[in-house]
């Protein structure tokens, strides 16, 4: 996978991940599986 080792940026002072980055990642996963 091309994005191996890629990490999501964490929001400062908050737990969790940026929703838009996770959505973009899942879009790439879906496109790969189609």
């Amino acid at each position: 996978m091309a994005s191996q080792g890629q990490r999501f940026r964490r929001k400062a002072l908050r737990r969790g991940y940026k929703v838009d980055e996770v959505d973009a990642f899942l879009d790439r996963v879906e496109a790969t599986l189609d």
Side-chain angles (χ1 to χ4, degrees):
M1 183 165 38
S3 63
Q4 185 174 7
Q6 177 180 351
R7 293 181 177 263
F8 295 108
R9 290 186 303 260
R10 287 185 174 262
K11 289 186 174 182
L13 304 176
R14 288 188 158 200
R15 295 179 61 96
Y17 298 97
K18 290 186 175 184
V19 173
D20 58 338
E21 289 185 6
V22 175
D23 287 344
F25 171 75
L26 293 176
D27 287 343
R28 290 194 308 270
V29 171
E30 183 179 23
T32 300
L33 295 176
D34 281 343

